[in-house]
Amino acid sequence: MPVSVATLLDTSSLGLILHTRQAPVDRAVSWVHVSELPDPAPFLEGGELLLTTGLSLAPEDTAGYVRRLAAAGVVGLGLGTGLSHAEVPADLVAAADEHGLAVLEVPRQTPFIALSRTVSSALAAEEYAAVSRTSTVQRELTRAAVAPGAPGTVVDRLARHLGGWALLLDAAGTPLESAPASARGRAGALTAAVDRLRTARPPAGAALTQPGETVLLQSLGTGARVRGFLAVGRPGPFPAGDRHVVNAAALLLTLRLEQSRALDSGTAALRAAILQLLLAGQIAAAAPVVEALGEELPDEPVLALTVLGSPEQRAAAVDVVSDAAADGRRPVLSAELDDVLVVLVPADGPLAARLAVLPDRVPGVVVGSAPPVPWARLPDAVRQARQAAEHARAAGRPATAFTDLAGQGLSALLDPQATAAFAEAALAPLVAADRAGPGDLVESLRVWLAAHGQWEPAAARLGVHRHTLRKRIRRAEELLDRDLDSPGARAELWLALHPPTG
């Protein structure tokens, strides 16, 4: 319990007398300071009990003296009587009551050093008690971390110690454990802060101060990968000891998450082999292997997703997928295939929709998806999902569905820079001829192709005679060295004349 002015008043050996009646006496004393300066405020930090004999206390400045001490955060003024003052001045008491500063009379027989020792001993005892409590709680959290039921037990004990709430989130920001259960509802308000921490190398933290409450948020993980997040909240600020407890809990939860992910990395080759069996149509052979891993295959129809990115990004995507599946209690299979992460989930249910935000949770990855298929058509689905992902990457998009490719047109599937280079090279002879003279070959060819090679409509749009247009097209054919009656040649030139932008 913090030492306060009231604590000193209750210490009979000090013989202190309280003269103020309205000023609070329950404020914690941070230290005892002795000063005879007319204005000691510049040398104080706040929370002190100031002791003085009043040697420099001028009657005309009593109100100003008290006002300066109160503004500096002094919690009490102890006036030693029997030297400069036989008794506590009444105007000092009145000013102190007005400004909420407790005034104590320190009798002549009580040395100032006795108050300093009392406060120092009380602060040392309080600090030792806080360290002991912190050590005890850390041992309890450590036992909870290695016991069955973790990390839920760690979260629960942490919340009870803090007298507040605790929330464990996965790498996607989805609640995994909470104490009390109602703390899950706080996840939405933490989304913005979680997204900011996700971009920082773990472990990283943030303090969110709200009216009547302080929230600490820490990312969990080692290296460059965020494994999850720990959020804790309690009324008022966090004492130093409680911050140490939160840091210890974050470390224990990180170790727990790293251990579980180590098992996943150890079975990566096995998962890849299972995927190869599934792609070969060996569903019956793959099922028992999946069961041996303590998992199960998704029910058909199956939705195939492919994730493109660096090895670190794909590994982070596996974390998000696994945590989402565990939270939703739905089967999922993820495995590497030729530097691409393949994720198989049930087509029905909320899991597929939750994974749609994967690019937001793992910045830099690109996701492609295919329509739901039975197991027998899994190879087609994986191929289509990869094509969709590669198109999304080329187009600078975070995600694309295979069914969306047809609706975007052929130009959407082409690389803009490569197509522009092709167009420039293909049309170079016509561009050069137009620059050399008023041939209008490029525009004439564009209008003629748009008219499907019909002379009359094209000539009318250009405002020339059809014989003039024939001469221009014949000239273009010679310069391009292409047969413009060929559908293939016409298609290539149409593309060159209408390159995609992006």
Side-chain angles (χ1 to χ4, degrees), residues 278-279 281 283 300 302 304 370-384 402:
L278 296 174
L279 291 173
I283 313 301
E300 54 184 355
V302 180
V373 295
W375 285 112
R377 291 188 53 203
L378 181 62
D380 292 335
V382 172
R383 173 179 52 80
Q384 292 171 357
F402 182 77

Side-chain angles (χ1 to χ4, degrees), residues 429-439 475:
L430 303 187
V431 173
D434 283 345
R435 288 174 179 172
R475 177 60 176 157

Side-chain angles (χ1 to χ4, degrees), residues 294-358:
E295 302 175 10
E296 60 179 310
L297 290 176
D299 294 330
E300 54 184 355
V302 180
L303 180 66
L305 305 173
T306 57
V307 181
L308 305 182
S310 67
E312 293 77 14
Q313 290 169 333
R314 299 198 304 271
V318 171
D319 293 339
V320 175
V321 170
S322 300
D323 290 335
D327 186 58
R329 293 177 173 80
R330 299 301 301 273
V332 64
L333 177 68
S334 60
E336 292 280 336
L337 178 67
D338 299 332
D339 296 329
V340 174
L341 176 65
V342 177
V343 181
L344 306 178
V345 300
D348 61 335
L351 186 55
R354 287 185 57 179
L355 295 182
V357 299
L358 203 153

Side-chain angles (χ1 to χ4, degrees), residues 166-339:
L167 182 62
L168 177 64
L169 308 169
D170 66 13
T174 303
L176 295 177
E177 303 287 348
S178 63
S182 58
R184 283 179 173 261
R186 296 178 175 266
L190 297 173
T191 300
V194 165
D195 288 341
R196 286 194 297 270
L197 277 189
R198 188 179 291 106
T199 62
R201 186 181 183 89
L208 312 174
T209 303
Q210 302 173 1
E213 182 182 57
T214 301
V215 177
L216 299 182
L217 179 65
Q218 291 197 25
S219 61
L220 308 178
T222 58
R225 296 174 58 188
V226 175
R227 304 296 191 184
F229 301 90
L230 174 65
V232 294
R234 55 158 292 161
F238 276 79
D242 284 350
R243 287 180 178 269
H244 291 318
V245 169
V246 174
N247 291 336
L251 176 60
L252 292 169
L253 291 171
T254 295
L255 292 174
R256 184 78 181 197
L257 293 174
E258 290 289 348
Q259 290 173 352
S260 64
R261 295 303 184 264
L263 295 176
D264 284 342
S265 62
T267 59
L270 182 56
R271 293 176 180 276
I274 292 173
L275 179 59
Q276 292 290 357
L277 287 174
L278 296 174
L279 291 173
Q282 302 296 319
I283 313 301
V289 183
V290 175
E291 292 178 3
L293 291 175
E295 302 175 10
E296 60 179 310
L297 290 176
D299 294 330
E300 54 184 355
V302 180
L303 180 66
L305 305 173
T306 57
V307 181
L308 305 182
S310 67
E312 293 77 14
Q313 290 169 333
R314 299 198 304 271
V318 171
D319 293 339
V320 175
V321 170
S322 300
D323 290 335
D327 186 58
R329 293 177 173 80
R330 299 301 301 273
V332 64
L333 177 68
S334 60
E336 292 280 336
L337 178 67
D338 299 332
D339 296 329

